[in-house]
């Protein structure tokens, strides 16, 4: 589904050059829920930005559904960002003046605007179904300001799914939430995986939430230094994450 090989990315400022991703390789299969963990500044957000090519990288391959996105034109990239990839951010990025149905429809409106105006009804139907799926049936006509943090994040999850993407990229989606709301977000991810078979790539600092994923990639010194596989025991996976971080501190 998503395959990254030998990705290199550095930031230049003046004469200095900060090498963030050195030789990063990873693979996400269809319907897989994967977490990326690594210390602050290790390059997790940089990696997500490279995958949607919001920023350019120096070398390496990013292959999404058999296509090398390094070769994409601006138009290909716009299509990919609208149809193949859904985004979820730490701060929800909802539009205050739109109700939940309208907020959920936004990416769909953008991708269909060029075609026709008569598609709003089917879009609205899909938005309602998604809001329903994430337990927001009672709130459909509300505005973001009337919601809790967890509810807002669930709207942004619904929105990320409106165009039926192949993969969702989530950058610390539980970072601003209390544990009840964060649990709801993780529940939503497990539902997406089960009901829609959408892949999820989640950046998180929280090993408890990471333990719900199928695999945990540890990002260290610019590459994936360890891949931990969930064998069905979340406690065991959390222990392995603790150990991976302890070894990292020692090295
Ligand atoms: N546009 C930029 N220009 C220069 N340096 C940058 C830029 N964006 C990020 N960096 C640097 O690259 C490194 C990786 O940043 P990145 O945001 O990818 O880290 P992160 O793993 O997401 O961290 P966090 O867990 O704190 O969100 C950091 O040292 C950061 O300061
Ligand atoms: Mg980050």
């Amino acid at each position: 589904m998503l395959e990254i090989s030998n990705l290199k990315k550095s930031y230049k400022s003046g004469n200095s050059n900060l090498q963030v991703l050195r030789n990063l390789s990873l693979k996400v299969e269809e319907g897989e829920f994967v977490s990326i963990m690594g210390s602050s500044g290790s390059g997790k957000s940089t990696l997500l930005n490279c995958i949607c090519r919001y920023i350019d990288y120096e070398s390496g391959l990013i292959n999404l559904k058999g296509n090398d996105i390094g070769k994409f034109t601006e138009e290909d990239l716009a299509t990919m960002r609208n149809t193949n990839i859904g985004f979820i951010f730490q701060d929800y990025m909802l539009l205050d003046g739109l109700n939940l149905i309208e907020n959920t429809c936004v990416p769909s409106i953008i991708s269909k605007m060029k075609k026709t105006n008569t598609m709003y009804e089917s879009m609205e139907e899909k938005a309602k179904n998604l809001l329903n799926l994430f337990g927001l049936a009672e709130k459909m006509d509300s505005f973001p300001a009337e919601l809790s943090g967890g509810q807002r994040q669930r709207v942004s999850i619904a929105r990320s799914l409106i165009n039926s993407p192949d993969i969702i990229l989530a950058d610390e989606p539980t970072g601003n939430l209390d544990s009840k709301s964060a649990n709801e977000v993780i529940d939503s991810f497990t539902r997406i995986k089960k009901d829609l078979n959408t892949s999820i790539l989640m950046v998180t600092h929280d090993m408890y939430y990471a333990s719900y994923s199928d695999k945990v990639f540890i990002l260290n010194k610019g590459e994936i230094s360890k891949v931990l596989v969930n064998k069905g025991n979340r406690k065991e996976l959390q222990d392995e994450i603790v150990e991976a971080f302890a070894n990292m501190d020692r090295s």
Side-chain angles (χ1 to χ4, degrees), residues 39-46 48-49 90 171-172 203 205:
S39 48
S40 180
S42 59
K44 302 177 299 296
S45 298
T46 299
L48 296 192
N49 282 320
Q90 189 170 2
D171 200 350
E172 297 188 46
V203 166
H205 283 288

